[in-house]
């Protein structure tokens, strides 16, 4: 058997963590022949609940699960980790302003970033799921100066999957027939789900749907899908978020293949006139643990406006916590 890979998951006793852990342990993240060691991080009051989750992991008798460890100490949970999924974050409480939420999470993700910097594998790959994911990712990345910024990504794959599903439903085809759409910008209500370069069964998506549906129904539906799920089920997305995290990390580590793109929040290099250093979602190609931004797409005036609108929100978020970001 291969040596086990150390996978760390934060917020492991939460709903997304619960939906995620069993899929990792069964081989859906790293493959059917790759053993894993799970290192799980939780806040102290949730350790008892996490103990119950660990009992269930043992009761599944997964062939690939080499060990499970739980801790409330980031230094312990991230020791030698090769894959880190930062799921846990502070939710918005009653009366809490967005700036308060950003500052509360800055405290969490700065600690986690420093721990990754100090004890993780030098080849670690980090995915931030906990919201506000883009800015939380920026905070963690800036607090890990010895790691390459390219080792940190934020999850917009859930938005990407939502957009694919809604376009496929509109044109009465299977999601596998939809390619080359993407999410630009922030994982928030300002994100821009873009189908201007998308294809459906080889045909340009723009030829199959009218512009009014795109602007009045498709874009706002994708932007507000999370809120709609909360309204319908009384809780936020869990299984679909866990699925997106699996797909994001699997494609990053193993390669997405072909000409299609995946949406990833990555450290901007200035592509498409975005501000360098922001964690901004782009269309990306992935191979051998690396990502590259798709550079060939032309951007129209309407797309440019939407891309800059979501960038403005990211700049505002960054500036709200700038005093907590190491230079």
């Amino acid at each position: 058997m291969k040596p086990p890979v150390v996978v760390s998951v934060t917020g492991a006793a939460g709903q997304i963590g619960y939906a995620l852990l069993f899929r990792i342990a069964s081989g859906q993240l790293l493959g059917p022949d790759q053993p894993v060691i799970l290192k799980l991080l939780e806040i102290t009051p949730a350790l008892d609940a996490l103990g119950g989750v660990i009992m269930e992991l043992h009761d599944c008798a997964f062939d690939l699960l080499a060990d499970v460890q739980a801790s409330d100490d980031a230094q312990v949970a991230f020791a030698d980790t090769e894959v880190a999924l930062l799921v846990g974050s502070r939710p918005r409480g009653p009366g809490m302003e967005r700036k308060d939420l950003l500052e509360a999470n800055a405290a969490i993700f700065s600690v986690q970033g420093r721990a990754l910097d100090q004890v993780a594998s030098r080849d670690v790959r980090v995915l931030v799921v906990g919201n506000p994911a883009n800015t939380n990712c920026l905070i963690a990345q800036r607090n890990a100066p010895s790691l390459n910024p390219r080792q940190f990504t934020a999850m917009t794959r859930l938005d990407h999957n939502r957009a694919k599903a809604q376009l496929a439903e509109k044109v009465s085809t299977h999601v596998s027939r939809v390619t080359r759409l993407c999410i630009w910008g922030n994982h928030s209500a300002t994100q821009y789900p873009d189908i201007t370069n998308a294809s459906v069964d080889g045909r340009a998506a723009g030829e199959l749907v009218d512009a009014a549906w795109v602007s009045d129904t498709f874009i706002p539906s994708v932007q507000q899908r999370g809120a709609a799920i909360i309204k319908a089920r009384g809780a936020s997305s869990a299984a679909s978020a866990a699925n997106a995290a699996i797909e994001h990390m699997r494609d990053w580590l193993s390669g997405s293949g072909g000409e299609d793109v995946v949406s990833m929040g990555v450290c901007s290099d200035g592509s498409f006139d975005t501000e360098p250093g922001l964690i901004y979602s782009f269309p990306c190609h992935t191979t051998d643990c690396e990502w590259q931004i798709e550079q060939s797409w032309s951007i129209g005036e309407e797309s440019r406006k939407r891309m800059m609108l979501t960038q403005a929100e990211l700049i505002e978020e960054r500036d709200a916590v700038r005093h907590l970001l190491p230079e």
Side-chain angles (χ1 to χ4, degrees):
M1 255 195 178
K2 297 178 180 178
V5 170
V6 179
V7 179
S8 297
V9 180
T10 74
Q15 288 196 74
I16 297 174
Y18 188 79
L20 186 61
L21 296 177
F22 300 89
R23 295 185 63 177
I24 297 172
S26 69
Q28 292 182 48
L29 178 66
L30 298 177
D33 61 347
Q34 179 58 65
V36 296
I37 295 171
L38 287 175
K39 293 192 174 184
L40 310 180
L41 181 67
E42 259 299 357
I43 57 175
T44 307
L47 287 177
D48 286 345
L50 182 56
V53 176
I54 292 173
M55 291 180 200
E56 287 199 78
L57 283 165
H58 289 313
D59 290 349
C60 288
F62 290 116
D63 289 340
L64 296 175
L65 187 56
D67 191 18
V68 189
Q69 302 170 21
S71 181
D72 57 2
D73 184 339
Q75 295 273 344
V76 174
F78 292 144
D80 302 317
T81 189
E82 298 159 87
V83 176
L85 296 102
L86 310 189
V87 177
S89 63
R90 171 75 180 271
R92 190 194 295 258
M96 181 180 282
E97 299 293 334
R98 186 172 182 83
K99 183 175 184 294
D100 299 328
L101 179 67
L102 287 165
E103 291 218 17
N105 277 295
I108 295 169
F109 284 85
S110 58
V111 169
Q112 293 182 2
R114 288 194 293 271
L116 286 162
D117 192 59
Q118 293 164 10
V119 302
S121 164
R122 296 301 85 186
D123 294 322
V124 66
R125 295 297 186 270
V126 182
L127 169 61
V128 177
V129 177
N131 288 318
N134 295 58
T135 299
N136 287 344
C137 181
L138 177 65
I139 293 163
Q141 176 250 302
R142 291 280 287 273
N143 279 276
S146 73
L147 298 174
N148 191 319
R150 294 179 59 87
Q151 293 173 249
F152 288 80
T153 61
M155 191 174 83
T156 53
R157 184 60 171 265
L158 177 54
D159 309 298
H160 180 102
N161 289 346
R162 288 166 169 168
K164 284 186 70 171
Q166 292 195 32
L167 179 58
E169 182 179 15
K170 176 65 176 177
V171 300
S172 302
T173 193
H174 192 266
V175 289
S176 62
R177 304 293 188 179
V178 178
T179 58
R180 293 177 69 78
L181 62 67
C182 83
I183 305 297
W184 298 98
N186 200 4
H187 173 62
S188 75
T190 69
Q191 64 176 268
Y192 173 36
D194 180 15
I195 68 165
T196 56
N197 292 280
S199 297
V200 180
D201 285 322
R203 291 185 61 188
E207 298 176 358
L208 303 175
V209 295
D210 60 74
W213 176 82
V214 174
S215 62
D216 299 341
T217 300
F218 171 73
I219 291 175
S221 293
V222 176
Q223 291 173 332
Q224 299 294 335
R225 183 68 164 189
I229 289 170
I230 291 172
K231 182 178 179 180
R233 70 183 293 259
S236 59
S237 308
S240 57
N243 178 70
I246 291 281
E247 291 184 344
H248 174 118
M249 190 62 79
R250 180 199 64 207
D251 285 348
W252 188 9
L253 298 176
S254 302
S256 51
E259 294 300 312
D260 203 2
V261 296
V262 293
S263 299
M264 301 173 67
V266 300
C267 187
S268 170
D269 60 0
S271 293
F272 299 100
D273 297 324
T274 56
E275 182 158 334
L278 289 178
I279 303 296
Y280 189 99
S281 181
F282 293 95
C284 293
H285 301 280
T286 60
T287 181
D288 297 329
C289 300
E290 295 294 340
W291 52 263
Q292 298 295 331
I293 298 170
E294 166 65 57
Q295 297 288 346
S296 67
W297 289 4
S298 59
I299 303 298
E301 182 179 349
E302 181 61 27
S303 290
R304 178 76 59 193
K305 286 194 294 187
R306 292 183 182 274
M307 290 166 63
M308 293 301 103
L309 178 66
T310 191
Q311 173 172 274
E313 183 183 52
L314 284 169
I315 291 171
E316 182 180 354
E317 290 184 7
R318 179 203 62 196
D319 290 348
V321 295
R322 185 185 289 276
H323 60 291
L324 299 172
L325 296 176
E327 293 298 331

